[in-house]
């Protein structure tokens, strides 16, 4: 059966270990925008997003939060769906069609069928696709991938573990028997694919990157783990001592979602869903390009399933220091903050306009605000409201005629208004064509730039013609009408083009223009000049993009983070000098993280709303992070016993304070650079500013907890914790120090 005009687009399925952030929102907005555009163009669309719910990282996050893995993933999925809905990405707002979850039974069935197909087949070089062997190497749980030595920061000494270069957290040593996929036999087939289908990987730079990666030689890849080490995963078919490696499991979701390999799913989504929509287009971040552009096609070749239409990789959102925004580092912009302070469409617009698709881009809360004010409030919003307000004021809310009669033409010409609108119409056609080309090439920023060029042009046209002056003379009434018609017609074109980018705002503009018809079903390539009918009564006019008060909003955002930081440092005074690391949740409770479960913190309300109660805890316990299980009897003054293994996990080192200064606008925080015997000094923040003068601390020997996950406080990353005694009722911190000579970096045991 041949189906015409279908379009299947996917985002990566996101790890369900922690709440989504702006990076996840971005990919989902890109896919949503493409879907809406294709729908306008008459395609039957299917848009998949979802969650990757297996593996060590999920199991660990669940354990940290005292949840079962299933509770953890259910919780994250609930939050993610709610967040996506807030940005218009859910089915109710015309967004995704499928929210895929890899823990669904049909996916187990489909993934198992896929494994069996691969296991039963042979590589292009005539060998078995899957074989058993021994694996020894490093594994990064947050990445979910095995790491080569080049992908790791080497350990400082033998007793330490190397760290993942992306997440800066220690990796796990894996040494076990398992199944391997013979990826190395697919090198020629893959190179041929890239050669014969130059558009398979986009943009071009990513294609080149993958070609040289594959040319460099592919290694067979481990596709299972021992059930005893990773139990939260799909069992390997016919060998339940092993579980399927999460990437092997996760990639298959793109086809199982459509019913491949499961009759039950096929019946649920319609028996021809797979034939109708596969092959799909994968939108991903460049961080997971190899898995999508090399491993996945090889898996599909091995299983005899058609290859995807294309793999399109975008760049990364970075913080102002140039590091990739991630939950683990605590430097990604939070969706809850974005949602609280900005219009959803303003965020969508920013994401698609600011990032040159394919390249990396720095971001913070302020640049989003600035773009919203300049491009939306002053740009598009102002054009719409001034035009419609004038139609209301001068023509009683009825669209005037574009025509200028013979006798009035000269007068019109004097104020820059031509007899016919041919010039404007041709320019708009050009804009439309460039816009369409931009979207088709995934150059969303360029598409928007083109539209904004048109806004500037029409703004100038209005300013030159000065309708408010024309309105004073009855003789110029036709000219006035022609000016406003031209402006309003241009806005109509723009509303249609901008719908995929800003659906709610485009709809609002459409309605204010008094247009019928469903903007989501009208094809922008069919736009014709003159589609706005004279005599149309325009709708209620109200501002589409209210201006954001920059000083006020930035101060509010600052304050929200400051309150968390202050609470974090206050909390720290009862446990140590640094508040930075007292969070209990899956992610560091950084200034920009959303799950700041700080004991006794005011953010408890926030934690409560974002985190379900821990299992077995009363609500109050869950909120404050108090112990859940009844504590065994312990001597007074000791909170609870830990084992020697627990203690061994804490790495403490002797250090020397090299520099110390106050953190602006944070009464309690000091910022140090500390030499702990490494190549570079570390930056550490401590909540002791009310008890120590920074200049008195330079040269001071201290004790640093050096293996705490880094987190951000007031925009500064704290890469460790300084130890201090907590003295007296008010918990005055007194820094731990040495009275004998100790080299920097010496470990405390
Ligand atoms: N679970 C895997 C994907 C499996 S797909 C079969 C995974 N999950 S993830 O939660 O880590 O999401 C990675 C994706 O999130 C990136 O490819 C990108 O789409 C998005 N982003 C996460 N952080 C990002 C930025 N800082 N910037 C841009 N996109 C980012 O990998």
């Amino acid at each position: 059966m041949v189906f015409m005009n279908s379009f299947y687009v996917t985002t990566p399925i996101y790890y369900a270990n922690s709440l989504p952030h702006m990076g996840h929102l971005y990919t989902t907005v890109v896919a949503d925008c493409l879907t809406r555009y294709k729908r306008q163009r008459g395609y039957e669309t299917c848009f998949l997003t979802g969650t990757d719910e297996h593996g060590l990282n999920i199991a660990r996050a669940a354990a940290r939060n005292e949840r079962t893995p299933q509770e953890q993933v259910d919780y994250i999925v609930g939050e993610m769906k709610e967040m996506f809905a807030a940005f218009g990405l859910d089915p109710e707002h015309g967004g995704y069609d499928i929210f895929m979850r890899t823990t669904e039974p049909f996916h187990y069935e489909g993934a198992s069928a896929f494994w069996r197909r691969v296991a039963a087949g042979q590589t292009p070089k005539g060998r078995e696709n899957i074989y058993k062997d021994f694996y020894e190497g490093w594994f990064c749980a947050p990445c979910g991938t095995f790491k080569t030595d080049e992908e790791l920061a080497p350990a400082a000494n033998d007793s330490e573990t190397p760290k993942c270069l992306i997440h800066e957290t220690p990796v796990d040593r894996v040494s076990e028997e398992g199944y391997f996929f013979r990826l190395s036999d697919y090198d020629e087939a893959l190179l041929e694919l890239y050669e014969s289908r130059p558009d398979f990987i986009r943009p071009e730079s990513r294609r080149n990157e993958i070609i040289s990666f594959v040319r460099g030689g592919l290694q067979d890849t481990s596709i299972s783990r021992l059930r005893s080490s990773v139990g939260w995963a799909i069992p390997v078919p016919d060998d339940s001592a092993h579980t399927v490696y999460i990437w092997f499991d996760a990639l298959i979701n793109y086809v199982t979602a459509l019913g491949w390999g499961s009759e039950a799913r096929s019946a649920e989504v319609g028996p021809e869903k797979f034939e109708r929509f596969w092959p799909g287009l994968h939108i991903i971040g460049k961080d997971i390009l190899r898995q999508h552009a090399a491993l996945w096609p090889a898996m599909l070749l091995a299983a005899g399933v058609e290859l995807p239409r294309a793999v399109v990789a975008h760049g990364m959102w970075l913080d102002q220091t140039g590091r990739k925004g991630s939950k683990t580092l605590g430097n990604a912009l939070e969706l809850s903050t974005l949602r609280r302070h900005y219009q959803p469409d303003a965020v969508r617009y920013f994401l698609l306009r600011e990032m040159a698709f394919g390249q990396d881009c720095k971001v913070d809360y302020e640049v989003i605000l600035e773009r919203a004010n300049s491009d939306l409030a002053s740009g598009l919003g102002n054009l719409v409201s001034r035009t419609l307000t004038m139609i209301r004021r001068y023509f009683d809310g009825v669209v005037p005629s574009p025509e200028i009669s013979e006798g009035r033409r000269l007068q019109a010409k004097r104020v820059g208004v031509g007899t016919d609108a041919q010039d404007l119409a041709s320019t708009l056609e050009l804009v439309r064509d460039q816009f369409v080309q931009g979207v088709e090439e995934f150059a969303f920023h360029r598409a928007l730039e083109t539209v904004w060029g048109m806004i500037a042009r029409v703004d100038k046209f209005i300013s030159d013609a000065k309708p408010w002056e024309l309105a004073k003379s009855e003789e110029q009434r036709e000219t006035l009408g022609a000016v406003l018609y031209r402006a309003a017609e241009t806005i109509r074109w723009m509303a249609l083009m901008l719908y995929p980018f800003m659906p709610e705002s485009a709809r609002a503009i459409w309605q204010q223009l008094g247009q019928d018809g469903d903007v989501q079903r009208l094809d922008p390539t069919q736009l014709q000049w003159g589609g706005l009918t004279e005599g149309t009564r325009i709708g209620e006019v109200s501002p589409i993009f209210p201006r954001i008060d920059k000083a006020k909003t930035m101060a509010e955002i600052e304050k929200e983070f400051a309150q968390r930081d202050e609470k974090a440092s206050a909390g720290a005074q009862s446990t140590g000098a640094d508040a930075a690391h007292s969070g209990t949740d899956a992610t560091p409770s950084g200034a920009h993280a959303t799950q700041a479960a700080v004991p006794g913190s005011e953010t408890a309300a926030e934690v409560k709303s974002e985190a379900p109660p821990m299992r077995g805890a009363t609500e109050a316990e869950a909120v404050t992070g108090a112990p859940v299980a009844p504590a065994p009897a312990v001597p007074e003054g000791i909170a609870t016993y830990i084992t020697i293994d627990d203690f061994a996990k804490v790495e403490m080192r002797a250090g020397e304070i090299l520099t110390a200064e106050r953190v602006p606008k944070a009464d309690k925080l000091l910022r140090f650079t500390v030499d702990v015997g490494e190549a570079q000094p570390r930056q550490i923040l401590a909540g002791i500013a009310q008890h120590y003068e920074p200049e008195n601390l330079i040269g001071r020997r201290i004790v640093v907890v050096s293996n705490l996950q880094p987190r951000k406080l007031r925009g500064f990353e704290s890469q460790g914790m300084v130890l201090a005694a907590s003295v007296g009722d008010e918990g005055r911190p007194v820094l731990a120090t040495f009275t004998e000579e100790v080299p920097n970096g010496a470990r405390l045991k």
Side-chain angles (χ1 to χ4, degrees), residues 598-712:
V598 177
S601 114
E602 246 180 49
T603 55
E606 174 131 18
V607 174
K608 187 173 168 221
S609 68
E610 298 204 352
M614 298 179 218
R615 270 180 312 133
T618 64
E619 197 137 282
E621 283 169 343
V623 170
T624 58
V628 177
V634 288
E636 205 182 326
I638 295 178
T640 181
Y641 284 124
I642 60 168
T643 66
I644 191 75
D645 289 343
D646 291 334
F647 177 70
K649 287 184 193 152
V650 183
E651 187 185 283
M652 284 181 282
R653 295 191 179 276
E656 179 185 348
I657 298 179
L658 303 178
T659 65
E661 61 184 45
R662 293 185 186 278
V663 173
K665 292 190 240 158
D667 299 347
K668 294 184 182 144
L669 283 181
L670 288 185
R671 179 160 76 102
F672 302 123
T673 48
V674 182
D675 180 352
V676 283
E678 296 167 334
Q680 296 288 330
R682 292 197 188 197
Q683 170 172 279
I684 298 181
L685 285 97
I688 58 172
Q690 289 170 329
H691 304 275
Y692 284 97
E693 288 305 322
E695 51 279 14
N696 296 339
L697 289 175
I698 293 169
R700 178 79 173 252
R701 306 230 163 239
I702 52 166
V703 178
V704 169
V705 178
S706 52
N707 65 340
L708 272 178
Q709 196 158 52
R711 55 154 296 178
K712 258 189 160 186

Side-chain angles (χ1 to χ4, degrees), residues 13 15 21 23-24 27 52 247 254 285 287-288 314 316-317 325:
I13 47 169
Y15 288 129
H21 57 68
H24 307 117
T27 320
D52 186 351
W247 269 102
Y254 298 131
D287 54 336
I288 53 176
H314 61 69
M316 293 288 122
W317 291 99

Side-chain angles (χ1 to χ4, degrees), residues 1 27 33 78 97 147 164 167 169 218 254 271 298 329 337 370 372 401 410 436 448 459 511 530 582 607 666 722 733:
M1 206 177 326
T27 320
C33 177
D97 300 279
K147 295 280 170 180
C164 165
H167 292 97
T169 46
L218 290 172
Y254 298 131
L329 294 179
T337 305
E370 280 164 359
S401 160
L410 204 59
V436 166
L448 290 173
D459 264 340
Q511 276 161 12
S582 42
V607 174
V722 174

Side-chain angles (χ1 to χ4, degrees), residues 123-443:
T123 71
K125 297 182 182 169
R127 299 194 282 176
E128 55 190 355
N129 275 318
I130 295 182
Y131 61 94
K132 228 173 183 182
D133 204 347
F134 195 79
Y135 179 81
E136 172 118 40
W138 299 106
F139 183 78
C140 171
C143 288
T145 53
F146 298 97
K147 295 280 170 180
T148 60
D149 288 345
E150 298 79 63
E151 291 167 324
L152 297 170
N157 57 49
D158 286 351
S159 64
E160 277 190 4
T161 310
K163 288 182 178 159
C164 165
L165 285 177
I166 298 166
H167 292 97
E168 301 176 17
T169 46
V171 286
D172 296 306
R173 188 76 191 161
V174 176
S175 135
E176 59 188 40
E177 194 194 34
Y179 290 91
F180 282 73
F181 175 54
R182 208 181 293 276
L183 184 61
S184 59
D185 270 10
Y186 284 84
D187 50 354
E188 283 161 23
L190 288 173
L191 289 170
E192 198 185 303
L193 161 70
Y194 310 144
E195 192 60 37
S196 62
R197 288 173 52 187
D199 278 350
F200 183 73
I201 303 170
R202 301 209 239 148
E204 182 72 17
S205 54
R206 299 285 156 235
R207 173 173 182 260
N208 296 337
E209 180 186 318
I210 283 293
I211 290 177
S212 59
F213 168 67
V214 174
R215 279 206 186 120
L218 290 172
Q219 309 233 328
D220 292 350
T221 179
S222 163
I223 51 165
S224 71
R225 296 295 304 273
L226 277 179
R227 190 189 194 84
S228 51
S229 39
V230 184
W232 179 246
I234 299 180
V236 166
D238 311 317
D239 188 353
S240 59
H242 298 262
T243 51
V244 178
Y245 169 49
I246 48 167
W247 269 102
F248 200 84
D249 148 8
L251 287 161
I252 300 170
N253 97 88
Y254 298 131
V255 293
T256 57
L258 300 178
W260 191 94
S262 160
E263 281 189 9
R265 177 65 173 176
S266 188
E268 188 189 339
V269 292
E272 79 289 0
K273 188 93 172 173
F274 180 77
E275 283 74 31
R276 188 185 300 265
F277 286 106
W278 188 253
L281 177 86
H282 300 309
I283 306 282
I284 56 163
K286 67 176 188 185
D287 54 336
I288 53 176
L289 181 65
R290 288 182 186 179
Q291 289 89 340
H292 282 81
L295 176 60
W296 177 226
M299 284 167 60
L300 288 165
L301 287 171
V305 178
E306 198 179 342
L307 298 178
R309 204 178 287 278
V311 176
V312 182
H314 61 69
M316 293 288 122
W317 291 99
L318 311 175
D319 66 17
Q320 292 299 347
T321 67
R323 290 190 318 163
K324 176 189 160 192
S326 81
K327 271 279 171 185
T328 314
L329 294 179
N331 62 343
L333 300 203
E334 290 179 20
L335 299 189
S336 56
T337 305
L338 292 174
R339 174 188 177 179
R340 248 194 315 277
H341 295 283
Y342 303 127
Q343 270 176 277
D345 274 355
V347 176
R348 291 176 62 116
Y349 169 77
F350 172 85
L351 293 173
L352 294 162
R353 171 66 186 81
E354 185 79 2
M355 184 178 257
F357 191 87
Q359 291 170 29
D360 294 346
C361 188
K362 287 186 180 171
V363 64
D364 58 28
Y365 292 103
E366 198 167 331
V367 281
I368 303 180
L369 188 153
E370 280 164 359
R371 260 217 187 276
N373 275 350
S374 65
D375 298 10
L376 299 179
S378 305
L380 176 63
N382 184 47
L383 174 65
V384 172
S385 75
R386 77 201 285 218
T387 305
L388 297 185
T389 305
M390 287 191 284
I391 293 183
R392 188 157 283 284
R393 183 173 308 150
Y394 304 133
F395 293 92
D396 259 349
V398 174
V399 173
S401 160
E403 306 300 333
I404 305 172
S405 55
E406 194 73 48
R408 305 280 188 214
R409 290 192 179 161
L410 204 59
Q411 279 164 311
K413 207 158 176 211
R414 261 190 232 124
V415 293
V417 183
T419 311
D420 60 28
Q422 198 44 56
D423 261 10
L424 194 59
S426 314
T427 313
L428 261 180
E429 276 163 19
L430 196 68
V431 165
R432 178 198 60 202
D433 294 348
Q434 285 175 351
F435 170 87
V436 166
Q437 192 189 5
V439 179
E440 295 280 351
E441 290 172 0
F442 310 102

